Amino acid sequence: MNTTGPADKGLRLIPFHGLRYVPERVGSLSAVTSPPYDVVVRPDGLHHLESADPHNIVRLILPQAATPGERHRQAARTLARWLAEGVLAPDPEPALYVYEQRKGELLQRGVIGALALSSPSDGIVLPHEDVMPDVVADRAALMRATAANLEPLLLTYRSGGEVTAGAPDVLADAPDVLSVAGTAGVIERTVRRSPLLDTTTEDGFSHRLWSVTDPGDLAEIADDLGHHQALIADGHHRWATYLRLRDEHAEAGPWGYGLVLLIDTARYPLQVRSIHRVLHQLPVDHAVEALSGFFRVRTVDDPLPDALDALADATTMGNAFLLAGNGRFHLVDRPDQELLARTVPVDRPAAWRALDATVLHATLLDHIWRIPDAPEHIAYIHDTAAAVDKAERDGSTAVLLHPVREEVVRELARQGVMMPRKSTSFGPKPATGLVLRSLAPGC
């Protein structure tokens, strides 16, 4: 996503003193990392991470206590203690950080820094999903208490496509890589050095991190990014939190910036996956029965991978969903067009009205099942198998969705049209715990 305006109308990414784990004070760097807070499957995943290492970052991003206020205070006390004990320590120089993730043939590289905050109307950072006010309020309270950005958002931009998918790793070892300019050039030169850290997490991803402190490199990145706009790929609630807290501070200072990872998807295309819903209080048999006369419903006795293939095939013909929760899958497709005309708002573009997430919320949840979009009624789960397993255990309904194409997301974002919350999951997501940012004065 490019802008044609001057550099001062684009992205402004500045260096900061990164807070990082001191390797000698923890069991291993992989044992203290976590997925982003909203990807952790609770309670099983949370307990697993807490037991991996007493200093796992999940104790900061998802603290456990009886009340929200006590959870946030506990996180603040834990962070202060880890800093005092030398478990976490600031880097001596302000830096931007080149971050690499690799698994098999998948390679992703980008830059972590403190990004100047901007409103959607500025057209610099474009959201594409609505947010839930209670989640923003909770994240804001946690950030106030800890005075820290605990995990980076994932933002994407496009440099113009000068490198095709699959080529970056080859070019990184080529003799002429030094001729690559801008942010891409700094990244490719930086990864030739020894990293600050190199670890592999239990999901099979290797993670490497380098600091960029050279004034020439920093200036090259600043000049390049100043001509671009970005799409929020992951972290809408945290971005909304950044903006809320910026507005609370008359002298924004460090609160005028937020921790982000910027990925150039012309060089490193992201994967786009769905975020599934688990409807806590709706048994799947009741869900299927309520759809009679409004959708076609077929039972699928195949295993999950084959059932997902059937969902993908059905989605090419229109809106389709896969329900699970009673040991079988139920393919839901061919919605009644008159029903859609009555239930889906008409004041949005056709691409928005045709989204599976739009039909799910406007037609199924609001009209047929009458389920409020609140945590006590709906869980949002990224992992497909985990969503199915939870529905099976609880006697509830998992609603599995097929991913939205990235070009649809980008076009709606350009038009300023918000998709239903939790419509997409871009990845791979950055590991939480590799680098944090303090908002305390002087940091």
Side-chain angles (χ1 to χ4, degrees):
M1 301 179 75
N2 298 327
T3 60
T4 56
D8 62 356
K9 297 298 184 183
L11 300 167
R12 184 177 174 225
L13 193 71
I14 67 169
F16 66 103
H17 291 272
L19 289 180
R20 296 190 297 112
Y21 280 100
V22 177
E24 296 77 13
R25 300 302 306 273
V26 298
S28 72
L29 289 176
S30 64
V32 295
T33 64
S34 164
Y37 79 97
D38 58 338
V39 181
V40 177
V41 177
R42 288 167 272 189
D44 296 349
L46 179 63
H47 293 159
H48 174 72
L49 291 166
E50 287 180 328
S51 63
D53 189 285
H55 302 108
N56 189 284
I57 194 69
V58 77
R59 297 180 185 276
L60 299 184
I61 63 172
L62 289 173
Q64 300 300 294
T67 66
E70 180 54 29
R71 288 198 297 270
H72 305 143
R73 289 188 291 272
Q74 178 174 293
R77 291 193 297 267
T78 300
L79 177 57
R81 185 174 69 254
W82 290 356
L83 288 168
E85 295 173 350
V87 174
L88 288 168
D91 283 334
E93 292 183 82
L96 298 179
Y97 297 86
V98 170
Y99 175 46
E100 176 189 279
Q101 295 164 273
R102 185 193 294 263
K103 183 178 182 180
E105 296 182 355
L106 191 156
L107 174 68
Q108 180 170 285
R109 290 174 179 150
V111 179
I112 295 175
L115 184 67
L117 304 181
S118 59
S119 301
S121 59
D122 296 328
I124 298 174
V125 175
L126 303 179
H128 69 268
E129 288 184 358
D130 286 332
V131 297
M132 292 177 273
D134 60 316
V135 176
V136 175
D138 178 76
R139 291 294 102 182
L142 177 62
M143 202 175 298
R144 285 190 206 98
T146 58
N149 296 155
L150 301 174
E151 46 188 339
L153 282 64
L154 177 61
L155 272 60
T156 72
Y157 69 101
R158 295 189 66 83
S159 63
E162 67 273 13
V163 178
T164 57
D169 198 29
V170 175
L171 292 182
D173 297 323
D176 63 351
V177 70
L178 298 180
S179 65
V180 179
T183 305
V186 174
I187 289 174
E188 303 305 343
R189 295 193 300 270
T190 300
V191 298
R192 291 175 160 235
R193 298 192 275 108
S194 296
L196 293 173
L197 64 85
D198 186 344
T199 190
T200 300
T201 45
E202 63 181 13
D203 58 4
F205 272 94
S206 67
H207 307 263
R208 296 199 294 170
L209 192 75
W210 297 259
S211 63
V212 178
T213 58
D214 178 79
D217 288 342
L218 295 174
E220 190 170 351
I221 291 174
D223 182 66
D224 178 28
L225 294 180
H227 295 279
H228 292 286
Q229 63 181 176
L231 174 76
I232 300 176
D234 184 70
H236 283 81
H237 290 89
R238 284 166 285 165
W239 182 258
T241 297
Y242 288 170
L243 296 180
R244 173 181 291 191
L245 296 178
R246 177 200 63 178
D247 293 344
E248 290 179 4
H249 291 77
E251 298 290 336
W255 298 90
Y257 297 82
L259 186 64
V260 304
L261 166 64
L262 277 167
I263 300 290
D264 175 4
T265 54
R267 298 177 64 84
Y268 301 100
L270 295 181
Q271 300 172 333
V272 187
R273 294 184 173 140
S274 297
I275 302 176
H276 309 295
R277 278 70 167 156
V278 174
L279 313 180
H280 298 308
Q281 302 174 31
L282 180 66
V284 70
D285 292 337
H286 294 177
V288 168
E289 182 180 356
L291 298 176
S292 177
F294 298 118
F295 287 79
R296 182 176 69 168
V297 181
R298 292 172 287 162
T299 300
V300 179
D301 291 321
D302 297 329
L304 179 58
D306 294 337
L308 291 173
D309 288 341
L311 173 63
D313 291 341
T315 304
T316 63
M317 304 299 293
N319 300 116
F321 311 92
L322 196 64
L323 307 188
N326 60 355
R328 296 183 296 177
F329 299 103
H330 307 272
L331 184 61
V332 177
D333 65 355
R334 297 188 183 180
D336 179 80
Q337 294 303 305
E338 181 180 340
L339 174 66
L340 296 186
R342 286 191 289 109
T343 56
V344 176
V346 297
D347 59 344
R348 309 285 179 88
W352 181 89
R353 298 197 302 273
L355 291 171
D356 288 336
T358 297
V359 172
L360 171 60
H361 282 263
T363 304
L364 291 172
L365 294 175
D366 292 351
H367 182 79
I368 294 179
W369 293 328
R370 299 187 182 279
I371 295 177
D373 191 358
E376 60 268 28
H377 294 280
I378 303 177
Y380 291 84
I381 299 180
H382 293 70
D383 184 85
T384 307
V388 173
D389 181 64
K390 182 169 180 55
E392 296 281 358
R393 291 200 318 263
D394 299 347
S396 56
T397 297
V399 184
L400 310 182
L401 290 85
H402 189 67
V404 182
R405 299 193 316 276
E406 183 177 357
E407 56 266 29
V408 173
V409 177
R410 290 186 178 278
E411 183 53 36
L412 287 173
R414 287 191 184 101
Q415 297 177 44
V417 177
M418 296 294 102
M419 298 172 65
R421 60 192 62 148
K422 301 292 185 181
S423 294
T424 59
S425 177
F426 285 83
K429 303 178 191 303
T432 297
L434 298 181
V435 59
L436 291 64
R437 173 176 174 257
S438 174
L439 295 165
C443 293

